[in-house]
Amino acid sequence: MANPLVRHRRRKADSSLKRDSESLIELDRVSKRYSLPARGKIRPERLDGNGRLIALEQVSFELYDGDSLGVVGANGAGKSTLLRIIAGVSAPSAGTVRVQQPVVSVLTLQAGLDVRSTGRQRVWAFGTLMGLSAFEIEYSFDHIVDFSGVGEFIDQPVSTYSPGMAARLAFSVALQLRAPVYIIDELLGTGDPAFQERATRAMLHKIGQGSVAVVASHSIATLATLCNKALWLDKGRVMSIGPLDEVFAHYQSATGHPGGGISFADRVRATKKLGA
């Protein structure tokens, strides 16, 4: 049965056309620097003229309804820093950021919550933080637990959960919110395959309804299924940005990462397999 609490107006999304609508995410020459107590073995090219670490350098893009941006790069490339800035957890050192609110991000949901709380208490805390009513949380509770796969552990302290379990629970609550922007870091590319499929299908539905997603992952297959655009970061700098196929081809050619060059036809087949 469809959830009567969540009703969307379907909007056609075609990134190949110039948009007349207002962008949901806009970054203009965004940079991030961190002061370091000690430089250690950090290479000089990672530092600016004042000895600060360059976490991000001059990142610019716009995303419109129905867009999904896949962010790729090695560990330390700046992926999580970018997501934290978009989510509002961290402020840029330079440049401007405009993001349509509310933003749903597992990064922000789990910050500062008591690890002694149970999974049940965490669901209510997440829901309240996102602005859901008591009725909405109660109505969706069983679905949230089933979707997350936490099951019989829902009344156990979250401190006994693996990081993946805690993240899955937060994500499952986040899906109950009608939001224009979703920020996802690695969650869909790791962990239980059954949950990955459920979560990917759910995000495809959100994107199809006109939401925007920014997804950072090492899983090229996950990004190929979800995204129409991609951004390749290396040491905080933009190496390539644009249509997903083109960026993946550049990324695979330069790094030897398996899975580059995934075609649009491959993405369509994967999407149909998930029942989107």
Side-chain angles (χ1 to χ4, degrees):
M1 182 179 69
N3 188 337
L5 300 174
V6 181
R7 300 185 179 92
H8 299 274
R9 179 169 61 87
R10 182 172 294 278
R11 290 175 286 184
K12 182 177 180 181
D14 184 353
S15 64
S16 66
L17 302 177
K18 183 177 180 180
R19 311 299 178 86
D20 294 326
S21 59
E22 186 178 8
S23 60
L24 298 184
I25 298 178
E26 181 180 348
L27 273 66
D28 183 21
R29 295 170 290 181
V30 168
S31 297
K32 181 68 176 181
R33 303 283 191 272
Y34 289 108
S35 297
L36 301 175
R39 298 182 187 180
K41 297 181 180 180
I42 296 176
R43 296 177 180 177
E45 62 267 23
R46 294 301 310 271
L47 304 175
D48 66 10
N50 295 316
R52 297 178 300 173
L53 177 69
I54 301 171
L56 283 179
E57 180 73 359
Q58 297 282 307
V59 178
S60 299
F61 60 81
E62 295 181 5
L63 297 177
Y64 295 82
D65 57 345
D67 276 339
S68 181
L69 179 72
V71 186
V72 296
N75 291 333
K79 302 187 300 295
S80 294
T81 298
L82 175 64
L83 266 58
R84 289 172 64 84
I85 288 174
I86 297 173
V89 177
S90 178
S93 302
T96 58
V97 180
R98 188 185 62 79
V99 181
Q100 182 74 32
Q101 299 295 324
V103 175
V104 170
S105 169
V106 175
L107 292 170
T108 57
L109 276 178
Q110 299 191 88
L113 293 179
D114 188 353
V115 296
R116 295 171 297 179
S117 62
T118 66
R120 183 181 299 274
Q121 292 169 328
R122 186 64 65 91
V123 168
W124 280 88
F126 287 154
T128 302
L129 285 172
M130 291 191 301
L132 296 175
S133 69
F135 172 75
E136 289 172 317
I137 298 171
E138 185 67 35
Y139 181 93
S140 304
F141 185 85
D142 289 343
H143 173 72
I144 291 168
V145 175
D146 290 343
F147 191 96
S148 69
V150 171
E152 61 187 356
F153 296 99
I154 190 63
D155 288 310
Q156 298 301 315
V158 177
S159 59
T160 65
Y161 290 10
S162 69
M165 285 178 64
R168 291 197 301 272
L169 187 62
F171 180 78
S172 300
V173 179
L175 288 175
Q176 306 308 308
L177 185 68
R178 293 172 290 184
V181 177
Y182 290 83
I183 308 297
I184 305 168
D185 189 1
E186 292 296 347
L187 179 66
L188 301 184
T190 59
D192 176 64
F195 176 79
Q196 290 181 42
E197 183 171 329
R198 291 196 301 274
T200 300
R201 185 185 295 116
M203 283 310 307
L204 284 169
H205 178 71
K206 294 286 188 183
I207 295 165
Q209 298 288 343
S211 294
V212 161
V214 181
V215 186
S217 179
H218 290 290
S219 172
I220 296 298
T222 297
L223 297 180
T225 302
L226 279 175
C227 303
N228 63 334
K229 298 179 178 179
L231 166 64
W232 170 23
L233 290 172
D234 183 56
K235 300 180 180 67
R237 295 176 171 85
V238 176
M239 304 301 291
S240 181
I241 185 169
L244 178 136
D245 294 340
E246 296 178 9
V247 175
F248 276 9
H250 296 158
Y251 181 56
Q252 194 273 339
S253 177
T255 67
H257 192 293
I262 295 176
S263 68
F264 178 76
D266 292 331
R267 298 204 307 279
V268 171
R269 284 192 291 271
T271 301
K272 287 182 177 178
K273 182 179 178 182
L274 288 169

